[in-house]
Amino acid sequence: MRYMLIIVLICFLGQPVFGQNLFQVKLNNCNTASFCLDCGDVKGGFDENLFQEMLDKVESKIDLEGASGLINFQVLIDSKGRGCVLSHSDDANTYITKVLIKHMNKFKAWTPASDEDGEIYPKVSINLYVKISDNNLTGAVERVDMDRFEKSFKGE
């Protein structure tokens, strides 16, 4: 078991920075030259009201009857507040997910991350989820627990 963990760590650590996709379905539509994972004193995110308006617009375009579940997305946000979906958790790559990706990539209310002095990070990735329930879509940022993330690589 220990040897398997070491092999996995070597493979993961040997990946370049652009290999930091967190979810199993990876998209190749973003410039991933370098970015940090949910970093900053002021975290990256989005205007919640405008994000919900975007989700309401998606709701009106697709039939959610009988659909339910949770889709996780990793979004890259640049210093100008432009977002790009890096990866997601929908193995089936359903129509709902494709429509959400299209709208999230066009969404204009992403907020970049910054340090305590107000210096904006060039690129940061955040995780968010979209929940499908009762013919409605809701979404929120899901922050990375860095201690837990690091422990997962140490085998703790």
Side-chain angles (χ1 to χ4, degrees), residues 34 36 50 67 71-72 89 94 98 115 120:
S34 67
C36 57
L50 293 176
I71 308 165
N72 294 295
S89 64
T94 61
K98 290 176 185 177
D115 65 17
I120 295 176

Side-chain angles (χ1 to χ4, degrees), residues 71-129:
I71 308 165
N72 294 295
F73 295 92
Q74 180 185 14
V75 178
L76 184 68
I77 303 171
D78 71 12
S79 62
K80 294 182 178 9
R82 292 179 295 229
C84 183
V85 178
L86 289 174
S87 63
H88 63 81
S89 64
D90 181 7
D91 283 330
N93 211 20
T94 61
Y95 179 71
I96 293 170
T97 298
K98 290 176 185 177
V99 171
L100 286 168
I101 290 168
K102 177 182 168 188
H103 281 79
M104 282 192 272
N105 285 338
K106 291 180 180 179
F107 185 62
K108 302 288 187 209
W110 298 107
T111 55
S114 62
D115 65 17
E116 61 188 17
D117 296 325
E119 187 74 26
I120 295 176
Y121 286 84
K123 292 182 187 171
V124 61
S125 77
I126 64 165
N127 297 333
L128 62 99
Y129 67 85

